[in-house]
Amino acid sequence: MRLKQMWVGLVAGAAIAASGATTSAEPSRAMTFVTGLINVEDMVRVPGTAWIIAGGLADGALTDGHIYLVNAGDRSVSALLPDHVDYRLDTKTYPECPGKPDEAKFSAHGLSLRRGAGKIHSLYVVHHGERESVEVFKLDARGATPRLVWVGCAVYPAGVSGNGIAALPGGAFAATSFMDTRDPKAFAKIDAGEPMGGVLVWRPKTGWRTVPGAASISADNGIEASADGKQLFVAGWGDQTVVRLPVAGTGGRDVIKTGFHTDNLRWGPDGYLYATGQRDSLQNLFKCAPNTDKRCDNPFSILRIDPKTLRTREVVRDPGRPEFGAASVALKVGDDYWLGTPHGDRVAITPAK
């Protein structure tokens, strides 16, 4: 059964919330918006440029998703996918990839970008559509406007519900599975904060393998890797955590309790890790309509994490508002945070103070 049919309201960002969930005791922050984007669950920056890559989830009445290109300077928006991607399958690196994705069914979830030589980078996109997969692109940032070339894919093993993705050295990547779609008790386990989902690493020639240290996390969501690729930071949405663990599977693991449903993780230019997620009861987290004509407005937080000491500081606590809520990702861009949400028609910008 298709993932979107099974749990469209849950795993499509793992960030659904009830209307009217705002907390009046919390003052609303100053916020401006970039419109013309639908369901931007995740975003990444293109190194050395003003460009931001934003993913658009297909959800509800919206059957086709996008990969957006946003200029952080003039705040202009254009679409890279559909209609502006070249397709050149690298059969040597991705021999088991069955072919290019169907743009009419494309749905972009988690994103990761690994810096490459000569301004040609690797972009990894978690895709829901005609298949559950990681789609791999080359992003050419040498010209005035970045271009995308699709080069391959890795189809997930059975039962995996893809969510986050983190590039690793050597063309490898680590990916989270939010839940096992074959488990009839998956939702109940997530509701109880019990272990559900996991983390897998894909490497050229050897394919997928499981990371044992992630087995105790509930609803593995966002993920980031250390610069050397030896450590992973994994967001637990069900148990409200961030877990630091070794990619190799041996060694200690450390757990941070965030106090909210931890969604995406993003490195900041200051070296800190920024965790974003929703603050609401699970009873409310399924009441927001999946269709984008009703925006989610639930409260959210951003937690700044020192990756060495694991000391934390809550840098944003927002009650949500009719225009924007359920933030799932935060990019630190200059003196601002750029915020995405899996159910909405805009990106929000708020001062990083």
Side-chain angles (χ1 to χ4, degrees):
M1 185 180 292
R2 294 282 179 85
L3 291 178
K4 190 159 61 176
Q5 294 171 330
M6 289 182 61
W7 37 273
V8 60
L10 174 62
V11 85
I16 323 303
S19 179
T22 57
T23 305
S24 59
E26 299 172 5
S28 294
R29 300 168 59 88
M31 196 172 280
T32 57
F33 305 101
V34 176
T35 57
L37 309 91
I38 303 296
N39 297 347
V40 174
E41 195 274 342
D42 202 3
M43 297 183 287
V44 292
R45 295 199 67 183
V46 180
T49 75
W51 297 110
I52 293 171
I53 305 297
L57 278 165
D59 191 13
L62 185 76
T63 58
D64 60 326
H66 295 76
I67 298 177
Y68 296 104
L69 182 65
V70 185
N71 189 311
D74 63 17
R75 302 189 179 182
S76 60
V77 178
S78 58
L80 289 173
L81 188 153
D83 301 328
H84 300 285
V85 178
D86 293 329
Y87 290 91
R88 304 170 191 167
L89 176 59
D90 178 354
T91 56
K92 181 178 180 181
T93 306
Y94 307 100
E96 297 183 5
C97 178
K100 67 180 183 179
D102 185 346
E103 288 193 354
K105 299 178 181 178
F106 201 86
S107 182
H109 200 153
L111 308 176
S112 184
L113 189 145
R114 184 162 183 83
R115 190 169 193 157
K119 296 185 178 180
I120 299 179
H121 315 297
S122 295
L123 176 68
Y124 301 91
V125 181
V126 174
H127 167 52
H128 314 296
E130 79 283 11
R131 63 192 182 209
E132 283 286 308
S133 59
V134 175
E135 303 296 326
V136 186
F137 301 82
K138 292 298 181 183
L139 189 145
D140 188 342
R142 293 175 296 180
T145 303
R147 296 173 55 87
L148 276 185
V149 178
W150 177 88
V151 295
C153 70
V155 177
Y156 286 114
V160 170
S161 59
N163 197 301
I165 186 81
L168 297 173
F173 47 83
T176 59
S177 174
F178 187 76
M179 59 182 276
D180 186 339
T181 61
R182 301 164 298 184
D183 188 341
K185 297 182 179 180
F187 293 146
K189 291 177 180 178
I190 293 171
D191 193 3
E194 297 176 358
M196 172 51 59
V199 175
L200 305 91
V201 171
W202 185 93
R203 298 186 187 279
K205 298 182 180 180
T206 59
W208 295 104
R209 73 166 181 84
T210 301
V211 178
S216 62
I217 299 171
S218 179
D220 305 59
N221 200 308
I223 186 169
E224 279 283 21
S226 59
D228 61 8
K230 294 182 179 180
Q231 286 187 322
L232 296 175
F233 295 82
V234 183
W237 190 82
D239 53 5
Q240 303 186 20
T241 61
V242 172
V243 180
R244 181 176 66 182
L245 52 86
V247 176
T250 58
R253 62 194 299 276
D254 302 283
V255 180
I256 297 170
K257 293 294 290 184
T258 62
F260 54 84
H261 296 287
T262 323
D263 207 308
N264 283 311
L265 308 176
R266 279 285 160 256
W267 290 112
D270 50 12
Y272 287 106
L273 187 66
Y274 290 86
T276 307
Q278 308 79 39
R279 303 190 329 273
D280 207 341
S281 68
L282 291 184
Q283 288 73 22
N284 286 334
L285 293 178
F286 304 103
K287 295 180 182 178
C288 182
N291 298 316
T292 56
D293 59 355
K294 179 181 178 182
R295 306 183 191 103
C296 290
D297 62 359
N298 66 305
F300 60 88
S301 288
I302 303 172
L303 193 69
R304 191 185 74 182
I305 302 171
D306 185 316
K308 295 181 180 179
T309 66
L310 299 187
R311 292 177 180 172
T312 65
R313 177 188 174 191
E314 188 179 56
V315 293
V316 170
R317 173 178 282 255
D318 194 277
R321 60 201 77 197
E323 300 87 357
F324 185 89
S328 55
V329 63
L331 286 184
K332 193 170 189 297
V333 181
D335 295 327
D336 296 316
Y337 295 118
W338 285 57
L339 310 174
T341 177
H343 290 293
D345 59 358
R346 61 194 62 200
V347 164
I349 303 169
T350 192
K353 60 180 180 180

